[in-house]
Amino acid sequence: MPRLPIALLLLSVCTSLSEAAPTPLFSDDFNRDEATPGKEDIGNGWTSNSAWRAKGHQQVDLRDGVMHVTKHVEADHGVAIFHATEFQDGLVELKFKLGEGDDLGVDFVDRELKTVHAGHLCMARVTNKNLTITDSKTGGMDLKIQERRKAGDKSPELTALLKTKTKSFKLDLKAEDWHTMHIKIVADQMSVRIDDQEIGSFSSEGIAHPTKRMITLAVNKSADVDDVKVSKLK
């Protein structure tokens, strides 16, 4: 059998490594009911901020195998639904359905990081009209930047800096239809695909934070979510 040249052998090895299968971390199809009807009880490792942001009112309801999220009228903050996970590079896949004016954010968090508000690192937020990818760690969630903004800093320098920490892409999704979103983080780049169409990618240093310890589903009004899958690449 003829020997492969060293260059081709190295290329073959690198290609096989780059195409290595992701390691599944967790998945959820929400095919279950709450233990007590009318009481928020997501299960499978999920928690939410309903206890302290919505006076304990139910904001997440499992019905017909779907997670239905609706901000309560007494809530003083959007709905945040947390699940622990840990990776540096990884994949998040989920199905979602939004009504008119709804949005859904997938936020990557490290609460052990004390230089940013609540550990916010980076996020992909989708509406029916727009996808926004944001580096929160070195952008608006950086505590030093927040202090400057609270102090009234409206300098062109700060405004220009914050503009470099986010990128938006136009969408034209039909309200009340189900869609599939695929988020991929590799090094400092986050890429998003919706319904098998590449929507866009954004590179920024905060995205490369070495430990994403949690994902948060963030909903400001309402959203339906199903078939969440999280995998580790690194």
Side-chain angles (χ1 to χ4, degrees):
M1 180 180 295
R3 294 182 179 180
L4 286 173
I6 294 297
L8 290 179
L9 181 60
L10 290 175
L11 178 61
S12 176
V13 170
C14 291
T15 300
S16 64
L17 289 174
S18 66
E19 295 177 353
T23 302
L25 296 177
F26 78 89
S27 63
D28 202 336
D29 61 11
F30 305 106
N31 285 323
R32 57 185 179 276
D33 295 318
E34 293 86 355
T36 303
K39 183 177 180 181
E40 188 171 297
D41 179 18
I42 310 169
N44 199 20
W46 296 97
T47 57
S48 84
N49 65 350
S50 297
W52 65 92
R53 286 298 195 176
K55 301 180 180 179
H57 293 292
Q58 183 178 19
Q59 300 187 107
V60 184
D61 187 13
L62 304 180
R63 301 193 315 270
D64 302 320
V66 173
M67 175 195 279
H68 301 272
V69 186
T70 305
K71 181 182 177 183
H72 195 273
V73 293
E74 295 189 47
D76 63 1
H77 189 281
V79 188
I81 306 158
F82 317 107
H83 199 294
T85 188
E86 190 165 325
F87 60 84
Q88 179 171 346
D89 296 344
L91 306 171
V92 175
E93 301 178 36
L94 57 80
K95 294 178 181 177
F96 69 94
K97 181 172 68 171
L98 303 175
E100 295 290 347
D102 288 347
D103 68 328
L104 171 67
V106 181
D107 193 4
F108 299 86
V109 178
D110 179 4
R111 287 184 175 171
E112 295 184 18
L113 181 65
K114 302 305 180 184
T115 60
V116 299
H117 174 69
H120 294 294
L121 302 172
C122 51
M123 174 186 280
R125 183 177 292 279
V126 64
T127 70
N128 288 318
K129 301 298 183 183
N130 187 269
L131 164 72
T132 304
I133 304 175
T134 303
D135 171 1
S136 309
K137 178 184 175 181
T138 63
M141 291 297 173
D142 181 290
L143 293 179
K144 291 182 179 179
I145 290 178
Q146 289 196 341
E147 289 174 4
R148 291 176 63 180
R149 297 177 77 180
K150 288 179 181 178
D153 187 342
K154 298 181 181 179
S155 65
E157 175 267 330
L158 182 58
T159 300
L161 171 66
L162 291 173
K163 284 183 178 179
T164 68
K165 301 301 179 179
T166 188
K167 189 172 183 179
S168 295
F169 308 86
K170 291 184 179 180
L171 293 174
D172 187 17
L173 304 181
K174 188 175 180 180
E176 306 300 342
D177 276 2
W178 280 100
H179 303 280
T180 300
M181 179 160 59
H182 179 282
I183 302 169
K184 182 178 182 179
I185 294 178
V186 175
D188 69 347
Q189 184 179 76
M190 184 187 298
S191 303
V192 178
R193 188 170 75 241
I194 296 178
D195 297 337
D196 293 324
Q197 180 180 353
E198 296 292 341
I199 303 302
S201 62
F202 177 55
S203 295
S204 187
E205 58 187 311
I207 297 172
H209 182 76
T211 311
K212 288 81 175 174
R213 302 182 192 276
M214 177 185 295
I215 65 164
T216 301
L217 304 181
V219 176
N220 285 311
K221 183 183 172 184
S222 63
D224 290 345
V225 178
D226 201 2
D227 294 333
V228 177
K229 300 175 183 178
V230 180
S231 301
K232 178 178 180 178
L233 296 172
K234 179 179 179 182

